[in-house]
Every structure is written in structure tokens, then in C-alpha cells.
Amino acid sequence: MDYISTRNNKISVSSSFAITHGIAADGGLFMPVGIPELSADDFENLCAMTYIERAAFVLKKYLTDFSDDEIRACVEGAYTRSFENDNPAPLAALGADTRVIELWHGPTCAFKDLALQLLPYLMTTASKHVADGKKIVIPVATSGDTGKAALEGFKDVENTEIIVFYPSDGVSPAQKLQMSTQEGSNVHVFGIVGNFDDAQSGVKKIFTDESVIGKLAANGYEFSSANSINWGRLVPQIVYYISAYCDMKNEGVDLSDGFNITVPTGNFGNILAAYFAKAMGLPVNKLICASNKNKILTDFINTGKYDKNRDFYTTISPSMDILISSNLERMLYLLSGDDNYVARLQNELMTLGRYEVTDGIKNKLGEIFYGGYCDDAKTLETISSLYHDFGYLCDTHTAVAVTVANEYKVKTGDKRPMVIASTASPYKFTKSVLKALGEEVPEDEFEAIGKLSAVTGAPVPSPIANLCGKKVRFAEVIDKSAIKDAVYSSLNM
Ligand SMILES: *Cc1c(COP(=O)(O)O)cnc(C)c1O
């Protein structure tokens, strides 16, 4: 399987190259040239497998320059010990035909762990294939969860340095603590004055800056990415949608008419992985894209116009406070099949802050996706009603998804089974969850965590409990224009 750039399909590289480099030289994103299709037999076999076996099976379809043994070693390394259960993506039932796929039982309590526990293995293996002997430097822009998951995945991984930039005032207290107390000898963390889009634009800019690349190379380094622009982040996410289907099937859920998937969406990575699963043959009817008040994707799906010239809101679901959804670029390529067209749209986005797709693409988009959003008040209401109706405690991002999934069911009358991606533990957003339950909210984060556990009986995940009393190692906040200098200083250059 070869990989091309979304902005130039004459660039053609191996999966190892795509994973070690992260982003194409022209600023485009790497895409497999085709999407492998699974047969009915394949699905039957997958249903009888463990999660690790399912992951190996799916990865093999895309990472064709990895040997079977290499893939096996990667998935076993990633999923054997780091998650609470053998199945890192277990299902919880909300009534007869809705399932929540809980993607937060890993070391940082967010779905990013599913990909970022695996990515270091993929990257070090891939790096041997392309064998240029350089050390890998990974600058990461995060809206809160990717940063911690990447730090935890790459800490002390040989020949890598990881440098995280998060919006100083745009993450939850638990998220900030998780990052500022990170251990490891190759980790660097900076708050920036600005929002996630500033961090992401700053990081993307140095990726393709010849002078930075040259200076790094002279010091024996090269860039890669742990953000979801890296194909190595997306392919592990395809696995859990296929796995959820198998688990439901094994449970006896009637999937003969297909099912729907709702994903709380920011950078469009998670829902794009669900689209790949669908395109591989998973019987998915509709993909429901759920946004918070930053509803740029809802508007795009409904109007075909993507326009980031709008107010930016800081919400209680901060991991979705994003106006530039990077992975949409891959979807535009899949829908148009036209690299020049994608390059033109991305250029318009960069210069004008907006673009509009053709009617043909807008219609295709509407066939595949349903877009909806909800505000903070509705998010809190849903947390409360889920808890009271089902005894189920969820975080703010998951609550956005549940709200939009319910809206979709009411608006369309579609009664197919629904899978909802639950992307973070409620204990990463404890104060909002306590507020939703109508409780007094203590000022101190750990007091709040203890209270939520006392009120609900839901166990505090050990990675959160263990944060208490940890030493803060990284407190530096920099201007968004200083990202390049922060990279240099982290590498002692
Ligand atoms: C990252 C994140 C999202 C958004 O996922 P994308 O792949 O960026 O669309 C949603 N919820 C949580 C908790 C996250 O950490």
C-alpha cells in the first residue's frame, strides 16, 4: 500500500515513510492510495478474535511494509499492559440498542491512548525501515488530551524527543496537571498564550519551514508528528469501530440493517477513522458528527461552506474547541479524488479563512454525515439525565455526542442501533460533571474528584488519583510566536 499527499498525488511513499515523516513536504497529509475492503468471511473471523488480534489484522491491511512479526510486536506492546482491561475499548449499554464505546481506560484516561500507546512502536519500527539514523523530534499541539497521551506514549522512548504545546488557559485543571507533572528524560511541555488553533498552526508552520528543518538536520534530528495529521494515529482508531461491531454482534445485537456511529469531533480524526471503517465494509449507516458551540463542522456539513471567520468559544468540552479541523483535508480528498482541488481549498483556508465545496461534494458529505451541536447548558443537562436515567456517568465531550445522537434519532426517526464514542473519563472534567449533577463544586481539584467519587460511587481511575502530590516540572508559558525557539531550546540548539 502506497501513500500519497492530499495536495499532490504524484508524491508516493511507503507507510513507514508516512509515519516517520508525519506530514508531506508540500504540507499535505498522507493518504493510502486505496481503502482495503473486508469480506463477510473477514468480519466473521474478526468477531472470533481478541482486540489485539483484530488490531493486527486491520493494521496489516495498511502497513504493508511491516512484517507480520513487527505488527504483532507493536500491538502487543501497546495493548497488553497499559489498559485496565484486556479489551481497551469496552462497550457499555444505554438501553437496548445504544452502546457507548469507552475509549478512556488507558494511561491518560482519553481516547488518544488507543493510538498514542501504539504510535511509538509504529514509529520506531518504521524508522528502522527508512533507516536514516536521525533522532525523531515530535512537536505536538494539543487541546488537552493529545499532549498527555503523546508524552505518556513517547516518554523515555529511545531516539525521540517530544515537545508539547497546549493553550495555557484552554485546558481543564486535571489536563494541565497531567502535562505539567510529566516524567521522562525526553519530554518538554509549554503553555502558550493563545488557543489550540494557534498552537496547531504554529507547529504545522515549523514542520515545513526549510530553515528549521535544515538546522535540525545539521544536529542529527528530523521532525515527525504525533498529532492526528500522522497516519499512524488514524489507523489504530479504525480498529475500535470494527471491534465495537464485533462485540455487539457477539452480544446478539441485531445489526442486519446496519448501525450508526456518533463521534464528539474536534480535529476530525476520530470520525475519519470511523469513515475508513465504513469504507472497508463495516455496515455503518450514518456517521454523526457532534460539535460543541464551536460548530464549524455542523455548518460545513449543512451548507458546504467552511468558514473560520467567526467567534471562538471556550467551552466545558475543551478538546473540541477547534476551528481548523485538520483531518477534514483527508475527507475532502476522499470525496473529490482531486489533489489540485484539495490544495486550492487549503490555500483558500489559509489566506481567506474559508472555502466552499461544490454541490456534488456537499451532497456526498450529507449522505455520509449528519452534523449537530450543543451548547454547555445542554451538555450539563445530558450528563445529569444520563446519570439519573441509566446510572451512567460520562464526561462533557461524550455528553455532547449523546445529545446530538438523541437529536438525530428524534429528527430522522432512524431506529438503528447507535454506537457513541466516549472519548474521556468524567474525572478529567470533574468540576463540570459535579455541577451537572447539581452538587456544590469544591475549589480544589482533588477535593472535587473525591466528592464526585463519593456522590456517584464511580471509581477514580488510578492515573488521575496518582496526580495528587506530584511535582510540577513544567510551568513555562510562552507566546505563540516563540514555538520555534522553544523547540531549539528543548533540543539545546
Ligand atoms: C481529541 C478529543 C476529541 C476530538 O477528537 P478529534 O479526533 O480531534 O475529532 C473529543 N473528545 C476528547 C475527550 C478528545 O480528547
Side-chain angles (χ1 to χ4, degrees):
M1 177 79 75
D2 289 333
Y3 288 75
I4 51 90
S5 163
T6 46
R7 298 183 198 176
N8 179 358
N9 64 21
K10 277 165 220 71
I11 295 180
S12 172
V13 303
S14 66
S15 69
S16 292
F17 186 97
I19 290 169
T20 48
H21 286 70
I23 190 168
D26 61 354
L29 306 187
F30 288 119
M31 282 287 278
V33 290
I35 299 182
E37 279 188 46
L38 302 181
S39 65
D41 278 353
D42 287 334
F43 280 111
E44 206 173 302
N45 293 336
L46 280 159
C47 286
M49 293 181 191
T50 63
Y51 191 90
I52 285 181
E53 290 165 344
R54 289 170 186 165
F57 185 91
V58 173
L59 258 60
K60 216 185 291 182
K61 300 279 177 198
Y62 288 98
L63 311 183
T64 48
D65 57 333
F66 284 54
S67 72
D68 289 1
D69 285 348
E70 284 173 334
I71 286 182
R72 183 90 202 173
C74 289
V75 293
E76 282 182 351
Y79 298 128
T80 306
R81 277 172 305 276
S82 314
F83 290 79
E84 281 175 43
N85 334 74
D86 288 344
N87 182 351
L91 298 180
L94 295 183
D97 55 10
T98 299
R99 293 292 177 276
V100 176
I101 176 168
E102 292 183 345
L103 301 168
W104 41 265
H105 293 285
T108 77
C109 307
F111 86 91
K112 309 292 201 293
D113 286 330
L114 274 292
L116 280 162
Q117 282 296 305
L118 182 55
L119 185 64
Y121 290 98
L122 298 180
M123 209 180 269
T124 43
T125 308
S127 155
K128 283 179 201 140
H129 297 162
V130 289
D132 53 12
K134 292 208 184 78
K135 282 192 178 176
I136 298 175
V137 178
I138 305 162
V140 179
T142 183
S143 56
D145 289 327
T146 295
K148 177 61 183 180
L151 289 162
E152 203 50 43
F154 280 95
K155 74 167 179 219
D156 296 326
V157 171
E158 241 180 90
N159 290 323
T160 67
E161 292 287 333
I162 175 139
I163 311 168
V164 169
F165 300 95
Y166 70 89
S168 180
D169 293 325
V171 301
S172 81
Q175 288 176 318
K176 192 181 253 189
L177 259 180
Q178 280 187 312
M179 290 186 278
S180 63
T181 60
Q182 177 66 43
E183 291 162 7
S185 57
N186 62 338
V187 301
H188 315 271
V189 179
F190 298 90
I192 67 157
V193 183
N195 60 32
F196 170 74
D197 292 317
D198 296 322
Q200 176 161 258
S201 307
V203 164
K204 264 192 172 175
K205 203 153 93 200
I206 57 168
F207 260 117
T208 45
D209 183 327
E210 291 297 341
S211 74
V212 183
I213 294 170
K215 185 160 172 166
L216 250 63
N219 285 275
Y221 290 112
E222 69 186 344
F223 277 138
S224 187
S225 174
N227 278 104
S228 56
I229 53 175
N230 192 322
W231 176 251
R233 271 285 299 279
L234 284 182
V235 66
Q237 299 185 170
I238 301 171
V239 178
Y240 51 72
Y241 291 110
I242 294 175
S243 184
Y245 164 83
C246 292
D247 289 348
M248 284 195 294
K249 191 129 181 121
N250 291 344
E251 225 187 274
V253 178
D254 180 6
L255 299 166
S256 51
D257 203 19
F259 66 107
N260 300 313
I261 299 176
T262 305
V263 185
T265 297
N267 225 355
F268 211 77
N270 203 1
I271 198 165
L272 182 71
Y275 175 76
F276 269 91
K278 175 177 163 71
M280 289 174 81
L282 198 69
V284 178
N285 172 56
K286 210 66 157 184
L287 293 168
I288 296 148
C289 176
S291 302
N292 63 25
K293 199 174 174 187
N294 295 296
K295 61 179 184 66
I296 190 162
L297 288 167
T298 313
D299 293 342
F300 177 59
I301 291 167
N302 292 331
T303 66
K305 295 190 182 105
Y306 195 89
D307 189 349
K308 77 173 183 76
N309 303 305
R310 59 173 70 210
D311 289 338
F312 174 87
Y313 299 104
T314 301
T315 74
I316 57 171
S317 44
S319 301
M320 293 151 65
D321 290 347
I322 293 177
L323 292 181
I324 305 175
S325 299
S326 292
N327 273 295
L328 199 55
E329 178 168 349
R330 288 192 163 107
M331 197 67 226
L332 293 171
Y333 183 80
L334 285 166
L335 292 172
S336 70
D338 183 343
D339 51 346
N340 290 321
Y341 180 69
V342 174
R344 202 183 83 213
L345 293 185
Q346 294 306 318
N347 189 43
E348 285 175 18
L349 181 62
M350 209 138 59
T351 52
L352 305 172
R354 62 171 183 267
Y355 59 75
E356 179 170 4
V357 296
T358 62
D359 280 347
I361 289 181
K362 184 188 150 208
N363 293 340
K364 279 196 222 167
L365 199 64
E367 274 166 35
I368 301 166
F369 297 97
Y370 172 93
Y373 77 101
C374 81
D375 64 11
D376 284 352
K378 193 79 190 90
T379 305
L380 294 177
E381 247 178 75
T382 298
I383 292 174
S384 167
S385 64
L386 269 190
Y387 184 67
H388 290 112
D389 297 349
F390 298 99
Y392 190 76
L393 196 64
C394 78
D395 91 296
T396 47
H397 304 76
T398 307
V400 168
V402 172
T403 310
V404 175
N406 288 340
E407 172 197 293
Y408 169 81
K409 283 187 212 170
V410 171
K411 269 200 185 156
T412 61
D414 187 343
K415 293 198 167 41
R416 290 180 181 85
M418 177 73 79
V419 168
I420 295 167
S422 177
T423 47
S425 158
Y427 285 101
K428 286 194 102 163
F429 306 94
T430 304
K431 288 182 179 174
S432 296
V433 175
L434 267 180
K435 185 173 164 201
L437 300 183
E439 299 288 337
E440 283 281 345
V441 182
E443 180 62 31
D444 180 74
E445 182 70 12
F446 292 103
E447 217 177 293
I449 288 168
K451 182 164 180 186
L452 183 59
S453 174
V455 167
T456 62
V460 183
S462 58
I464 300 282
N466 294 344
L467 283 176
C468 192
K470 267 206 176 162
K471 195 171 132 259
V472 170
R473 294 181 67 201
F474 304 100
E476 197 176 341
V477 178
I478 61 169
D479 193 78
K480 64 186 178 192
S481 62
I483 287 180
K484 182 163 81 175
D485 295 329
V487 168
Y488 290 161
S489 73
S490 297
L491 302 175
N492 299 319
M493 286 170 28

